[in-house]
Amino acid sequence: MWFRPRSRIHHWNCSRFADFVRGEKKPFALEWGKWDEWKKEQRNKRPIRFWLAEKGLAKLQGFVMFPIDIYRDVSYYVDNRYITKAHYLKTGLKPGHYYELDYRILHGLFNELVDFVEIEYAHLAKWSLKKGAKNYKFKRGRSIEAGLDYLNWACSLKYNKEWGIVKKDPKYGKPTSQALNAQKIGKLYMWWKEVRPNRPEPMTVAGLSWDQNKEDNLLDGKVTRKELSNFKKLEKIEADYEKEDTKMLIELIKIRGHLWT
């Protein structure tokens, strides 16, 4: 079975012509489960026009685009298998060094989150942000600017008539579920990119510098009260950092169901 992640950028049943055939504008987006209600309503109101707009145009597009779809299927398979290697997680860690599993898990998942924003979101921005679109510069398929633009756009989404929400509805004007999840993604992305790398060095904060003799003295119990206090301070800072890493990793796991394009 071919995997087709981005074969269709434009769907004919979402076009203006489809709206004309259907006799009604198709909503830009709806909540999870609301699409079934909308389709049922359209079938009851205009069964023939609905079929022509939704099924007919989709079948026609499939027939017309068949050769292009085959080409894209093959090219995407080659890209996923040998270039982007989408079948495994990439840690972004320096090759040739050994890293413990807990370290690989943390870096692997957050490095993939960075790729998700700077590559996948970036390409969505390139294709879908029509209004005020910029001439984004991509380097090796990556654009931080485009990814953040799409993320900011997603964070700003609010329920309105395009979502099938009328002004009387309590949800009207409030952030959509997509916006709330995008805000969480943005928070995790910025933490990994900006906050975590700039955390103060524990040894420096604790007033210590690496000294093998001091560590040996600590193990032997031959340290002054001040040195012992500094070592305890170091342990607390490292424990706090570890706790923060775990907390953010859990938050990332919680939203994994929304990390798709």
Side-chain angles (χ1 to χ4, degrees):
M1 180 177 181
W2 292 111
F3 176 58
R4 189 179 301 167
R6 297 192 183 95
S7 295
R8 295 278 170 78
I9 302 299
H10 302 292
H11 295 267
W12 291 3
N13 57 10
C14 295
S15 63
R16 291 183 179 179
F17 179 71
D19 290 340
F20 171 77
V21 173
R22 188 184 301 106
E24 184 175 321
K25 184 178 180 181
K26 190 173 186 177
F28 173 75
L30 290 175
E31 292 182 83
W32 183 262
K34 293 292 184 180
W35 279 111
D36 290 338
E37 295 180 13
W38 179 82
K39 290 178 181 179
K40 183 178 181 180
E41 179 186 352
Q42 292 299 311
R43 288 194 193 96
N44 293 333
K45 290 170 62 177
R46 311 178 189 90
I48 297 177
R49 297 181 70 172
F50 175 77
W51 187 92
L52 289 173
E54 292 295 314
K55 302 294 183 181
L57 286 177
K59 290 179 180 294
L60 178 61
Q61 184 179 15
F63 175 78
V64 173
M65 300 289 290
F66 181 74
I68 298 176
D69 286 344
I70 294 297
Y71 168 77
R72 284 176 172 170
D73 284 342
V74 174
S75 64
Y76 282 135
Y77 176 82
V78 172
D79 178 76
N80 287 326
R81 177 66 179 83
Y82 299 105
I83 301 175
T84 59
K85 299 180 180 179
H87 55 288
Y88 71 87
L89 299 178
K90 298 172 283 293
T91 65
L93 294 170
K94 189 175 181 180
H97 296 262
Y98 177 76
Y99 302 95
E100 295 290 353
L101 178 58
D102 66 323
Y103 201 73
R104 300 200 304 271
I105 290 174
L106 177 68
H107 281 259
L109 295 186
F110 272 99
N111 186 65
E112 290 289 347
L113 176 68
V114 171
D115 284 355
F116 178 76
V117 172
E118 298 178 0
I119 297 177
E120 297 191 43
Y121 266 7
H123 280 85
L124 285 179
K126 180 180 179 181
W127 292 108
S128 62
L129 298 185
K130 301 296 184 181
K131 296 181 179 179
K134 302 177 182 177
N135 185 23
Y136 295 114
K137 294 182 180 179
F138 282 76
K139 185 175 182 180
R140 296 180 180 177
R142 180 187 303 271
S143 172
I144 297 176
E145 181 185 15
L148 290 179
D149 277 357
Y150 186 86
L151 185 60
N152 291 331
W153 170 81
C155 288
S156 68
L157 291 175
K158 294 182 179 180
Y159 287 113
N160 53 35
K161 61 181 181 180
E162 290 185 337
W163 289 78
I165 304 296
V166 297
K167 289 186 177 181
K168 294 181 180 180
D169 194 303
K171 289 184 177 180
Y172 190 88
K174 293 183 179 180
T176 66
S177 58
Q178 181 181 353
L180 295 175
N181 288 314
Q183 291 168 16
K184 294 177 182 177
I185 293 171
K187 178 182 177 181
L188 291 170
Y189 172 85
M190 295 307 298
W191 174 80
W192 184 255
K193 291 276 290 189
E194 301 293 339
V195 178
R196 191 178 187 275
N198 292 306
R199 291 190 306 202
E201 174 61 38
M203 294 279 286
T204 303
V205 177
L208 293 169
S209 58
W210 189 87
D211 188 329
Q212 186 63 55
N213 291 328
K214 284 186 178 181
E215 292 200 15
D216 291 340
N217 290 338
L218 177 65
L219 294 174
D220 295 335
K222 300 176 182 179
V223 290
T224 65
R225 288 185 178 181
K226 183 177 180 181
E227 288 174 334
L228 181 59
S229 175
N230 288 343
F231 275 115
K232 287 183 177 180
K233 186 176 182 180
L234 174 64
E235 288 181 353
K236 184 180 184 307
I237 295 170
E238 291 178 337
D240 288 342
Y241 282 179
E242 181 70 17
K243 185 177 180 180
E244 182 182 34
D245 288 351
T246 301
K247 176 185 175 183
M248 301 306 278
L249 189 57
I250 291 173
E251 292 299 318
L252 178 57
I253 296 299
K254 286 181 178 179
I255 64 163
R256 69 185 182 88
H258 303 282
L259 300 175
W260 57 276
T261 56

